[in-house]
């Protein structure tokens, strides 16, 4: 696939509404409610959701540029967070209070969704805005969207971002919420007006594991190519205070076992030094991520990579392009990945990509054309691929 600019991506999304086009009334400014319960679009990179937050934000901004009024509804996670944030003219983030104003793990959020809907109605009545479309993101928001759709009688578009039955495959003990999630995801496929799928692999999973009913259209993610592709490597390294001759391996994403960071660390342990490994991302408010980060830190120490590894932490969107541009190679070693937005961002920066041949990455990365694909959970294969990139770039 090619790296599509976000404007073209939004155009394709707009054409997926059953009415034919999002912008339908010449004398009326369309108003859309994007539901993203667990994906605050203003969050910095590394927060839970990662690419999902970026997807929601870029969609909202893109629709606003087309003259739409867009409200992105998410959940307040801190008492000091503002209720309304103006993202751009015509696009704002609305934080609703649903349960305690603190981070709550996704698997425990379902019980707070009725309160989210109550808060949504209060805001809607207060603002007197009549929405013409609901776009829900992830299964939690899908449930919210289905309730609003039944009351408002307006179209609902849904994006899964991940599918529960795929996520829980191989788990000895799936979480208690797994059954509820499956029922909601089935309803999202069969009862919404259109499902936006990000890859052919996701369509196959939906049809084989969820239902053969429902309208699905494949529209891969896109990124702002000018945002990620405008920085020269020398400029990026000077900005980050990295030597020009240093071999730099980059990982961007959450600390999650399914992201394959352990595989990357083990691969790096077999590489010839010197090199540096930059791990960008990680949500310190998440207990699970903190535990995984500590496990990875112990592994780094155990394998003697302390001097070579930098735990960067969360990075602002304005800073992220510098890391992509500075890297010699960006590695996405995931065990599973619905799409792989990081791959597109690295490609836009002109940085070689090495990714696991799983999920949407099989379509995002074309082997030896737009990057390299390797089997997941194989440190030896990953190390060989990194070495090949280093040698090819004469680092």
């Amino acid at each position: 696939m090619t790296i599509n600019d976000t404007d073209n991506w939004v155009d394709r999304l707009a054409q997926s509404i059953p009415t034919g086009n999002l912008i339908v009334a010449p004398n009326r400014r369309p108003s859309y409610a994007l539901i993203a319960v667990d994906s605050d679009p203003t969050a910095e990179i590394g927060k839970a959701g990662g690419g999902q937050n970026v997807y929601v934000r870029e969609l909202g901004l893109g629709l606003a540029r087309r003259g739409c009024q867009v409200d992105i509804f998410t959940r307040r996670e801190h008492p000091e967070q503002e209720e309304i944030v103006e993202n751009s003219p015509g696009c704002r983030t609305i934080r609703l209070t649903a349960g305690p104003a603190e981070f709550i793990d996704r698997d425990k959020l379902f019980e707070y969704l009725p309160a989210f809907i109550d808060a949504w109605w209060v805001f809607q009545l207060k603002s007197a805005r009549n929405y013409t479309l609901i776009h829900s993101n992830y299964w939690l928001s899908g449930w919210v969207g289905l309730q609003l759709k039944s009351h408002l009688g307006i179209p609902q578009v849904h994006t899964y971002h991940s599918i529960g039955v795929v996520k829980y495959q191989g788990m000895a003990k799936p979480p208690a919420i797994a059954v509820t999630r499956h029922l909601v995801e089935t309803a999202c496929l069969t009862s919404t007006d259109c499902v936006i799928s990000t890859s052919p692999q996701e369509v196959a999973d939906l049809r084989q594991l969820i239902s053969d009913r429902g309208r699905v259209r494949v529209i891969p993610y896109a990124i702002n190519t000018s945002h990620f592709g405008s920085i020269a490597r020398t400029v990026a390294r000077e900005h980050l205070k990295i030597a020009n001759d240093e071999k730099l391996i980059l990982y961007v994403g959450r600390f999650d076992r399914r992201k394959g960071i352990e595989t990357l660390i083990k691969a790096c342990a077999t590489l010839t030094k010197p090199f540096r490994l930059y791990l960008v991302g990680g949500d310190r408010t998440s207990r699970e991520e903190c535990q995984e980060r500590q496990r990875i830190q112990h592994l780094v120490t155990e394998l003697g990579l302390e001097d070579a590894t930098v735990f960067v932490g969360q990075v602002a969107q304005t800073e992220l392009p510098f890391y992509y541009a500075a890297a010699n190679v960006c590695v996405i070693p995931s065990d599973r990945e619905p799409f792989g937005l990081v791959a597109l961002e690295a490609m836009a920066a002109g940085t070689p990509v090495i990714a696991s041949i799983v999920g949407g990455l099989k379509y995002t990365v074309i082997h030896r054309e737009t990057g390299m694909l390797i089997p997941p959970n194989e440190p030896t294969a990953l190390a060989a691929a990194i070495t090949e990139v280093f040698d090819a770039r004469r680092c």
Side-chain angles (χ1 to χ4, degrees):
M1 63 169 288
T2 58
I3 303 175
N4 296 315
D5 186 78
T6 48
D7 283 341
N8 295 327
W9 170 62
V10 172
D11 284 339
R12 297 183 67 190
L13 285 169
Q15 295 165 5
S16 298
I17 306 307
T19 54
N21 196 303
L22 285 175
I23 304 173
V24 294
N27 297 320
R28 179 184 174 191
R29 192 178 185 190
S31 185
Y32 303 116
L34 272 59
I35 311 297
V37 174
D38 62 325
S39 304
D40 189 327
T42 68
E44 300 295 354
I45 190 69
K47 282 285 186 181
Q52 183 174 321
N53 302 61
V54 176
Y55 177 101
V56 172
R57 183 185 68 243
E58 292 300 325
L59 176 57
L61 295 175
L63 289 171
R65 286 194 297 270
R66 281 153 182 73
C68 305
Q69 290 182 321
V70 183
D71 284 345
I72 305 174
F73 292 92
T74 191
R75 183 181 162 277
R76 179 179 280 109
E77 293 188 345
H78 192 279
E80 295 181 3
Q81 285 182 321
E82 297 178 70
E83 179 188 20
I84 302 176
V85 177
E86 296 289 341
N87 305 315
S88 72
C91 177
R92 58 184 183 173
T93 295
I94 315 297
R95 297 192 181 104
L96 303 178
T97 299
E102 62 187 31
F103 173 83
I104 298 176
D105 186 84
R106 285 175 164 181
D107 288 344
K108 299 177 182 178
L109 271 179
F110 186 75
E111 65 178 285
Y112 299 106
L113 296 188
F116 187 93
I117 291 177
D118 289 343
W120 191 92
W121 283 116
V122 170
F123 180 87
Q124 194 271 340
L125 291 171
K126 180 174 63 176
S127 65
R129 180 169 290 186
N130 294 315
Y131 299 101
T132 52
L133 174 78
I134 299 166
H135 186 145
S136 51
N137 293 270
Y138 195 59
W139 76 274
L140 294 166
S141 299
W143 186 86
V144 171
L146 287 168
Q147 314 312 307
L148 298 178
K149 171 184 169 65
S150 67
H151 284 85
L152 297 171
I154 60 176
Q156 178 186 359
V157 174
H158 181 71
T159 303
Y160 279 84
H161 296 282
S162 73
I163 303 170
V165 69
V166 175
K167 177 179 179 179
Y168 304 136
Q169 281 178 343
M171 280 192 184
K173 188 178 180 181
I177 198 66
V179 173
T180 300
R181 177 173 179 175
H182 181 70
L183 292 173
V184 173
E185 290 185 332
T186 300
C188 286
L189 180 55
T190 58
S191 301
T192 61
D193 296 271
C194 183
V195 164
I196 303 299
S197 182
T198 58
S199 73
Q201 180 63 55
E202 186 176 64
V203 177
D205 291 337
L206 288 173
R207 292 311 188 197
Q208 294 170 13
L209 304 173
I210 305 294
S211 175
D212 60 1
R213 296 170 51 203
R215 182 172 183 260
V216 181
R217 185 175 182 191
V218 178
I219 304 178
Y221 283 174
I223 59 160
N224 185 334
T225 53
S226 61
H227 178 67
F228 291 99
S230 60
I231 302 174
R233 181 178 169 188
T234 54
V235 173
R237 291 200 167 204
E238 181 180 358
H239 178 78
L240 297 173
K241 297 179 173 54
I242 298 171
N244 284 329
D245 61 349
E246 191 165 75
K247 299 178 182 178
L248 176 57
I249 304 165
L250 178 68
Y251 166 86
V252 177
R254 303 192 307 276
F255 279 86
D256 185 311
R257 282 181 181 263
R258 293 180 295 271
K259 291 294 185 179
I261 305 175
E262 179 177 343
T263 300
L264 175 57
I265 300 300
K266 290 180 177 178
C268 287
T270 67
L271 296 177
T272 301
K273 294 182 179 179
F275 65 86
R276 300 296 292 278
L277 170 63
Y278 275 50
L279 302 176
V280 174
D283 183 2
R284 292 183 179 275
T285 65
S286 167
R287 181 175 59 86
E288 289 76 10
E289 284 209 44
C290 287
Q291 291 176 343
E292 178 62 7
R293 179 188 173 110
Q294 290 174 357
R295 189 180 75 86
I296 293 299
Q297 287 176 323
H298 289 319
L299 182 61
V300 165
T301 301
E302 179 184 331
L303 296 179
L305 292 173
E306 288 177 288
D307 293 339
T309 306
V310 180
F311 289 83
V312 179
Q314 293 178 21
V315 169
Q317 282 293 313
T318 53
E319 286 290 297
L320 189 55
F322 288 97
Y323 286 91
Y324 283 123
N328 295 101
V329 60
C330 181
V331 180
I332 310 165
S334 306
D335 297 341
R336 66 171 188 83
E337 195 70 58
F339 182 77
L341 195 61
V342 168
L344 290 188
E345 294 172 346
M347 289 178 200
T351 299
V353 172
I354 300 173
S356 299
I357 185 168
V358 298
L361 287 170
K362 293 183 291 185
Y363 303 93
T364 308
V365 178
I366 302 175
H367 187 54
R368 296 196 176 280
E369 289 187 29
T370 62
M372 295 178 67
L373 290 170
I374 59 167
N377 301 305
E378 292 195 15
T380 301
L382 178 53
I386 294 173
T387 300
E388 182 176 338
V389 172
F390 279 168
D391 291 344
R393 300 202 91 185
R394 302 179 184 276
C395 298

